[in-house]
DNA sequence: GGCAGTCAAGTACGC
DNA sequence: GCGTACTTGACTGCC
């Protein structure tokens, strides 16, 4: 069991997701911003290593406009040595990496242009992970997409299009249940037709769960992961008090997290904390997990 | 330097 | 029809 957080670290005084306006685009700007982002990513990984945080979600903004037609820079070659170095660091530290393209990636959209942009974006994500030499356990997680008034057809479109994705995208892609449209049951149905692993979001499942218990949700999602996918990943959060339903908490609820570890003790998985204060909650979670055999097994020597 | 409006991209929902 | 939410700031032009 590894515990991690997404994209941003406020303790390290830099941002690995710096970008700029499309109207300000130039090759120089792209190279300068990407170089700064990569340098910051290394700093964050070093911070994580020092704190035994061995799971991290890399921002999709690492290379601004990488999948946009405006981008003509051969960033793969230009930053090859950086990708080599960062990839080696990740492998040496035995870290797990994931990515989560944003809401514009919709494989089941009825609009051709949206589909094409989505595939370009997924190719960029897969290329980045490939360039770092990471194995297939470095996953790219997406949601199933929109419903467009006809859910069955929307799911069929996802299944059909998944089959035609480039292999290096398919090998890394996983789907995550959301809290409004596609439940765990829907994701499992897509898994049955495609083999795509299902990443369980325990918070979303608590909102849209189809009556499936937390323990059963862990069991059902775990079965969708093959050995080469690495151990399953679970997204964890809780409700922010007083906010709209589905809003992620500002800071981890350690009592709830401790209960979750106890209830789930018969399963092993990596935990991505989708919590606003990021690395602070990750460090709190790790303190709680110290006594958990699943966690201590992988952090020996850190 | 500070501020407020805006930012590549989609969709669903509440008002 | 518009504003908002999603992982949320960060960039930009104007004063």
């Amino acid at each position: 069991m590894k515990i991690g957080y997404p994209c941003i670290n406020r303790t390290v005084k830099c941002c690995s997701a710096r970008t700029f306006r499309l109207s300000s685009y130039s090759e120089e700007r792209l190279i300068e911003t990407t170089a700064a982002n990569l340098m910051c990513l290394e700093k964050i990984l070093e911070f994580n290593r020092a704190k035994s945080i061995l799971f991290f979600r890399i921002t999709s903004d690492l290379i601004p406009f990488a999948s946009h037609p405006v981008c003509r820079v051969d960033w793969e070659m230009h930053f090859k040595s950086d990708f080599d170095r960062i990839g080696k660091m990740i492998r040496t530290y035995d870290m797990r990496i994931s990515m989560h393209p944003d809401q514009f990636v919709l494989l089941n959209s009825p609009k051709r242009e949206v589909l094409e942009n989505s595939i370009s974006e997924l190719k960029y994500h897969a290329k980045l992970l490939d360039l770092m030499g990471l194995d297939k356990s470095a996953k790219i997680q997406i949601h199933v997409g929109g419903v467009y008034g006809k859910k069955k057809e929307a799911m069929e479109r996802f299944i059909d299009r998944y089959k035609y994705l480039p292999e290096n995208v398919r090998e890394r892609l996983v789907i995550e249940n959301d809290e409004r449209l596609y439940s765990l049951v829907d994701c499992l149905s897509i898994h049955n037709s495609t083999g795509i692993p299902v990443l369980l979001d325990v918070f979303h499942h608590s909102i849209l769960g189809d009556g499936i218990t937390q323990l059963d949700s862990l069991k059902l999602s775990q079965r969708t992961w093959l050995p080469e996918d690495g151990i399953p990943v679970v997204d964890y959060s809780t409700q922010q008090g007083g906010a709209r339903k589905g809003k992620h908490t500002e800071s981890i609820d350690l009592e709830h997290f401790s209960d979750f570890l106890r209830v789930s003790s018969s399963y092993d998985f990596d935990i991505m904390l989708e919590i606003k204060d990021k690395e602070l909650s990750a460090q709190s979670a790790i303190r709680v997990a110290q006594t958990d055999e699943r966690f201590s097994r992988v952090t020996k020597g850190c």
Side-chain angles (χ1 to χ4, degrees):
Chain A
M1 171 181 285
K2 294 173 181 171
I3 294 175
Y5 63 96
C7 306
I8 295 167
N9 179 316
R10 298 197 191 290
T11 310
V12 174
K13 300 295 176 203
C14 64
C15 172
S16 64
R18 275 185 52 208
T19 184
F20 47 86
R21 299 288 161 88
L22 183 57
S23 58
S24 313
Y25 180 90
S26 70
E27 290 198 358
E28 295 73 26
R29 187 77 187 266
L30 177 77
I31 288 167
E32 177 198 326
T33 306
T34 301
N37 286 347
L38 288 168
M39 197 181 294
C40 181
L41 175 61
E42 281 191 82
K43 278 190 191 172
I44 292 174
L45 293 172
E46 289 291 0
F47 171 95
N48 290 349
R49 153 79 173 170
K51 305 291 183 187
S52 301
I53 301 172
L54 297 182
F55 190 18
F56 184 64
R57 183 186 295 167
I58 292 179
T59 174
S60 296
D61 290 332
L62 196 67
I63 302 166
F65 303 105
S67 70
H68 192 281
V70 75
C71 178
R72 298 300 185 97
V73 174
D74 187 357
W75 53 266
E76 299 162 56
M77 280 310 295
H78 198 279
F79 294 103
K80 187 176 183 309
S81 61
D82 298 275
F83 293 129
D84 285 345
R85 192 175 61 257
I86 293 170
K88 190 176 175 195
M89 176 193 276
I90 290 165
R91 294 191 303 274
T92 304
Y93 292 167
D94 193 25
M95 288 177 163
R96 185 152 196 197
I97 294 296
S98 69
M99 296 189 80
H100 192 343
D102 63 26
Q103 69 269 30
F104 306 110
V105 170
L106 294 158
L107 279 185
N108 70 352
S109 172
K111 297 176 190 166
R112 178 141 293 278
E113 195 180 326
V114 174
L115 172 65
E116 286 169 359
N117 290 344
S118 299
I119 293 172
S120 298
E121 185 72 353
L122 288 174
K123 283 181 178 171
Y124 149 65
H125 282 74
K127 192 187 285 180
L128 201 56
L129 297 169
D130 288 347
L131 283 165
M132 292 182 190
L134 305 182
D135 67 21
K136 303 302 177 270
S137 71
K139 293 301 185 191
I140 302 168
Q141 67 185 84
I142 58 170
H143 293 288
V144 177
V147 165
Y148 312 99
K150 292 181 181 171
K151 192 169 183 179
K152 188 164 175 286
E153 287 179 20
M155 286 169 74
E156 283 167 0
R157 272 201 303 278
F158 184 99
I159 291 164
D160 184 51
R161 288 163 179 182
Y162 175 79
K163 291 173 185 163
Y164 294 103
L165 290 173
E167 195 179 350
N168 72 329
V169 172
R170 249 191 355 256
E171 285 172 338
R172 295 193 187 276
L173 208 60
V174 300
I175 44 172
E176 172 194 351
N177 58 304
D178 65 73
E179 81 284 25
R180 294 181 305 132
L181 306 175
Y182 291 98
S183 67
L184 174 64
V185 170
D186 296 324
C187 292
L188 291 170
S189 161
I190 291 173
H191 162 78
N192 289 338
S193 298
T194 57
I196 189 169
V198 177
L199 187 157
L200 176 70
D201 186 310
V202 296
F203 178 40
H204 292 162
H205 185 73
S206 72
I207 297 169
L208 183 68
D210 296 328
I212 295 175
T213 65
Q214 190 175 70
L215 209 52
D216 282 342
S217 69
L218 284 164
K219 181 168 74 182
L220 291 165
S221 57
Q222 294 247 326
R223 285 178 185 161
T224 65
W225 293 65
L226 296 172
E228 57 265 35
D229 295 317
I231 69 167
V233 173
V234 162
D235 278 0
Y236 174 88
S237 185
T238 50
Q239 175 68 38
Q240 170 68 34
R244 101 187 140 73
K245 204 170 188 183
K247 185 154 177 78
H248 292 176
T249 183
E250 288 288 330
S251 187
I252 191 166
D253 177 342
L254 290 176
E255 198 177 330
H256 186 281
F257 183 67
S258 190
D259 283 345
F260 173 65
L261 289 182
R262 193 170 57 250
V263 168
S264 67
S265 62
S266 51
Y267 298 100
D268 196 10
F269 44 82
D270 290 335
I271 305 177
M272 177 54 63
L273 301 172
E274 292 197 323
I275 295 175
K276 303 267 178 181
D277 66 2
K278 314 281 182 183
E279 80 282 5
L280 300 179
S281 281
Q283 290 172 85
S284 303
I286 281 171
R287 279 193 288 276
V288 169
Q290 289 294 342
T291 54
D292 193 302
E293 190 273 334
R294 292 169 293 179
F295 179 78
S296 54
R297 195 169 54 225
V298 298
T299 52
K300 266 181 203 157
C302 280

